[in-house]
Amino acid sequence: MSQKKAVVLVSGGLDSTTVLAIARSQGYACYTISFDYGQRHRSELLAAERTATSLGSVEHKVIKLDLRSIGGSALTDDAISVPEEETSGIPVTYVPARNTVFLSIALGWAEVLGADDIFIGVNAVDFSGYPDCRPDYIAAYEVMANLATRAGAEGNRLKIRTPLIDLSKADIIKQGLALGVDYSLTVSCYQANDRGEACGKCDSCRLRSAGFAQAGVADPTLYRS
């Protein structure tokens, strides 16, 4: 029998890299996809390519989108600053409809490949409060995906896999290390520089740093200072 295929969304960050390692450990032939959507920096795209290669991606695609043209997020509008202190509510780093757009393109590629599984590194425990990282969103999207595709209509049920959704950042790191993930290859910072050096102050940096501390392992992140 041929190896089962999966499309894995990779951003170059800690969570999506761990998801790729999990999918590979479960026996999937992994086809990875990243998005050049007008985000503040390209270092995460370079990190995505590094991690995809490191973890044996069969094929890696970078899809170019222009979410900067609609803005509405600190990640796609230079006039909105990335917060460096904890905020309440949904933060300005939320990119409107981002996961819906990304999953839809991944869904199309999955149909082309004949893959029944899409992996995404959403997390509802140690996360920034984004609405498109919640279990009810993923469940609703999966229902839509099976209504909207030829594969679903013909009985080839598509599954959105979210192996990290209930894990703490520390548990994610421990699982990744057990699977051989090299976290020094990853970039999580919302405002990393061209060398991939992290600010150490944004929400993503704080969550990442706390995760390594709680996991009791050294933080391999490159910081600017």
Side-chain angles (χ1 to χ4, degrees):
M1 295 180 63
S2 60
Q3 189 177 15
K4 55 187 177 180
K5 298 176 181 178
V7 173
V8 184
L9 283 77
V10 293
S11 67
L14 184 153
D15 291 345
S16 68
T17 301
T18 307
V19 166
L20 175 55
I22 291 170
R24 186 185 66 166
S25 74
Q26 293 177 356
Y28 288 93
C30 296
Y31 293 76
T32 52
I33 187 167
S34 297
F35 297 90
D36 181 357
Y37 62 92
Q39 59 267 59
R40 278 181 172 264
H41 60 80
R42 297 189 59 82
S43 55
E44 68 175 29
L45 290 169
L46 298 176
E49 293 182 20
R50 290 196 301 268
T51 57
T53 299
S54 173
L55 291 169
S57 171
V58 177
E59 182 179 355
H60 179 68
K61 285 186 180 295
V62 180
I63 304 298
K64 189 170 181 60
L65 303 170
D66 184 15
L67 296 186
R68 185 169 283 268
S69 65
I70 63 171
S73 167
L75 303 190
T76 56
D77 185 342
D78 293 335
I80 304 174
S81 298
V82 173
E84 295 187 349
E85 295 180 358
E86 190 171 350
T87 59
S88 59
I90 297 171
V92 295
T93 51
Y94 163 69
V95 179
R98 179 173 60 178
N99 280 348
T100 302
V101 172
F102 290 0
L103 278 170
S104 296
I105 295 173
L107 176 62
W109 195 25
E111 274 209 283
V112 170
L113 292 170
D116 295 333
D117 300 274
I118 298 171
F119 282 78
I120 184 171
V122 294
N123 178 265
V125 180
D126 286 340
F127 77 127
S128 296
Y130 300 157
D132 53 2
C133 289
R134 298 173 298 167
D136 53 352
Y137 163 75
I138 293 297
Y141 190 93
E142 186 176 286
V143 170
M144 184 281 299
N146 282 288
L147 290 171
T149 56
R150 181 172 65 186
E154 293 178 347
N156 296 320
R157 183 168 177 77
L158 295 153
K159 183 71 177 176
I160 309 298
R161 305 281 182 185
T162 58
L164 309 185
I165 203 157
D166 295 321
L167 298 182
S168 70
K169 194 69 73 179
D171 287 337
I172 292 168
I173 290 167
K174 289 176 183 177
Q175 188 163 354
L177 291 174
L179 294 172
V181 173
D182 180 358
Y183 287 116
S184 71
L185 300 178
T186 66
V187 173
S188 299
C189 179
Y190 291 143
Q191 47 189 356
N193 63 21
D194 291 342
R195 297 184 295 277
E197 295 170 335
C199 73
K201 299 176 181 179
C202 70
D203 193 36
S204 186
C205 280
R206 290 194 301 270
L207 289 169
R208 179 181 171 116
S209 177
F212 281 107
Q214 291 162 11
V217 296
D219 182 355
T221 307
L222 295 174
Y223 293 101
R224 289 202 286 270
S225 59

